[in-house]
Amino acid sequence: MKILHTSDWHVGKVLKGQSRAEEHTQVLAQVIDIARAERPDLVLVAGDLYDTAAPTPEATRLVTRALTALRRTGADVVAIGGNHDNGAALDALRPWADAAGITLRGSVRESPAEHVIDGVTRDGERWQVAALPFLSQRYAVRAVEMYALTPAEANQTYADHLGRVLDKLAEGFTEPDRVHLVTAHLTVVGASTGGGEREAHTVLGYAVPATVFPGNAHYVALGHLHRSQRVIGPCPIRYSGSPLAVDFGEQENVGSVTIVEVTATTAARVREVPVPGAVPLRTVRGTLAQLADVEPPDGWLRVFVREQPRAGLREEVQELLPRALEIRIDPELMPAPGSGTRTAQRAGRSPRELFADYLGSRGHADDGVRELFDELLEEVEH
């Protein structure tokens, strides 16, 4: 069978105030074109369809149309919720998805059987997917309890709970003439982040070892980390990565989808197919004089300015580079933590004095900024 693995679409993403709706339309159209050309038997969308838990109607329309178009290529489609998605809202779309022949699992349900999907390819290859949406730490405990496994104990970790849930979902991975698959949205220890993920859900106890996956799985299709990569583990494990760079920290990532060919008796063969539809993200740095001589690169820009902070600096940079979405003082020019003037004592000091001390401690010695602060303070006080 042939599988198209994709994830982390983040439809509805706004980058520093810039809508990326047009880019998402182009990127998802390319993913659909790849599906038409490759003719996969199964499409796995491993979470984070949306960038926010409250997507706009336009974002919902784009996602549902993309899923429908993927289904119309003749492939079965299985999509799960990620940490950016609203699992309950995705589950509310299940009547539509079921009618369209799409399997949608937004959140963990009380019956583990709802997360085990069976199918047969055009050529008669039988397959089964254990589909696990993103689980927060709190709901990981609840899922273990719902599935009537050994009672969760306070000292057990998130990884313990995830492993037990996956063991339950993979109980049927015993038939030798069937392809066994897992799709999940989580962080595996040792994998590389892409640069734009939500940090609270990639660290602080959310990373799990690759050993949580069943060794008899033919392929594990992951979402959550935005860089396409293989993960070393007891079975073939892979992140497809995002098909477009979500934030400037991902500007070196190459958007792609993963194509997997596998049978019940042969190992998975994996290849990446690039998706070049998004506007590139670039970083430029220099003084104002240097930036004035820069040939503006194609794409959205992050600018590190090698000047001392002052009022109006952002506007000067924006005039030179109109496609600059993020403008910051070059971090190399910022004073080291603890340097500068001694932290001001608050008692008996006026707001103007405190603010002047703060500016000095940050290397922002600019009369224009102090004058703006004085104007704002006067408005507030009167």
Side-chain angles (χ1 to χ4, degrees):
M1 68 180 296
K2 183 183 284 189
I3 303 159
L4 188 154
H5 168 202
T6 181
S7 73
D8 296 277
W9 293 354
H10 286 272
V11 174
K13 174 70 177 180
V14 175
L15 180 60
K16 313 300 178 184
Q18 173 64 45
S19 170
R20 306 191 73 189
E22 185 176 336
E23 294 174 68
H24 269 114
T25 300
Q26 295 173 351
V27 163
L28 292 180
Q30 289 185 330
V31 172
I32 293 161
D33 286 343
I34 292 169
R36 289 179 180 138
E38 293 283 350
R39 298 191 72 245
D41 300 289
L42 174 64
V43 174
L44 295 174
V45 187
D48 278 357
L49 287 78
Y50 299 105
D51 190 61
T52 172
T56 64
E58 292 75 17
T60 302
R61 186 179 304 113
L62 180 53
V63 166
T64 54
R65 285 180 175 176
L67 293 173
T68 300
L70 289 169
R71 177 70 179 112
R72 286 176 178 167
T73 66
D76 286 297
V77 177
V78 176
I80 61 173
N83 61 306
H84 280 253
D85 298 316
N86 183 324
L90 283 181
D91 285 333
L93 291 174
R94 281 182 59 173
W96 160 80
D98 292 343
I102 297 164
T103 301
L104 186 60
R105 297 292 182 266
S107 55
V108 173
R109 313 294 284 188
E110 291 188 6
S111 170
E114 286 203 51
H115 297 279
V116 181
I117 300 99
D118 296 304
V120 181
T121 70
R122 307 175 186 94
D123 297 327
E125 185 82 63
R126 297 170 62 231
W127 54 266
Q128 185 175 81
V129 178
L132 180 64
F134 174 74
L135 271 175
S136 68
Q137 290 179 326
R138 178 179 60 172
Y139 282 99
V141 175
R142 182 182 171 206
V144 168
E145 294 170 343
M146 283 194 308
Y147 292 174
L149 303 178
T150 305
E153 298 177 356
N155 64 345
Q156 289 185 310
T157 66
Y158 179 77
D160 292 328
H161 299 318
L162 261 291
R164 295 159 76 197
V165 170
L166 285 165
D167 284 346
K168 184 67 176 180
L169 298 184
E171 282 182 347
F173 284 14
T174 56
E175 298 184 31
D177 61 344
R178 186 167 61 184
V179 176
H180 303 127
L181 307 166
V182 175
T183 185
H185 192 89
L186 45 74
T187 303
V188 177
V189 174
S192 300
T193 60
E197 300 88 351
R198 187 172 287 169
E199 290 187 4
H201 292 153
T202 55
V203 294
L204 301 177
Y206 271 95
V208 303
T211 52
V212 299
F213 300 110
N216 57 351
H218 289 84
Y219 181 74
V220 176
L222 296 181
H224 190 34
L225 302 188
H226 296 173
R227 180 174 297 164
S228 176
Q229 60 192 293
R230 176 190 174 214
V231 178
I232 303 299
C235 56
I237 305 168
R238 190 170 186 85
Y239 286 96
S240 67
S242 176
L244 80 170
V246 173
D247 210 334
F248 285 106
E250 303 179 10
Q251 63 184 32
E252 301 302 326
N253 295 355
V254 178
S256 65
V257 298
T258 300
I259 300 294
V260 183
E261 295 180 76
V262 64
T263 74
T265 57
T266 59
R269 299 192 307 275
V270 176
R271 56 190 167 89
E272 294 181 29
V273 179
V275 181
V279 175
L281 304 183
R282 313 287 191 198
T283 298
V284 296
R285 62 202 322 148
T287 64
L288 275 179
Q290 291 168 334
L291 295 175
D293 292 334
V294 166
E295 181 68 28
D298 179 38
W300 303 120
L301 304 182
R302 174 175 61 178
V303 182
F304 288 145
V305 191
R306 300 188 64 83
E307 301 271 354
Q308 289 301 316
R310 65 174 182 274
L313 180 59
R314 177 183 179 85
E315 288 73 16
E316 293 178 60
V317 175
Q318 194 82 54
E319 186 174 347
L320 293 173
L321 299 169
R323 289 179 70 83
L325 300 183
E326 181 178 346
I327 300 171
R328 299 168 52 191
I329 300 301
D330 194 319
E332 295 177 3
L333 296 184
M334 299 299 290
S339 66
T341 61
R342 182 177 57 86
T343 301
Q345 296 296 320
R346 300 180 67 87
R349 308 293 301 281
S350 71
R352 289 180 176 84
E353 291 172 324
L354 291 171
F355 187 65
D357 281 349
Y358 169 77
L359 289 178
S361 71
R362 303 296 295 174
H364 291 203
D366 180 49
D367 291 339
V369 174
R370 283 196 289 269
E371 289 171 5
L372 287 172
F373 178 81
D374 290 344
E375 291 177 17
L376 289 172
L377 183 63
E378 188 172 345
E379 288 183 18
V380 170
E381 291 178 338
H382 298 86

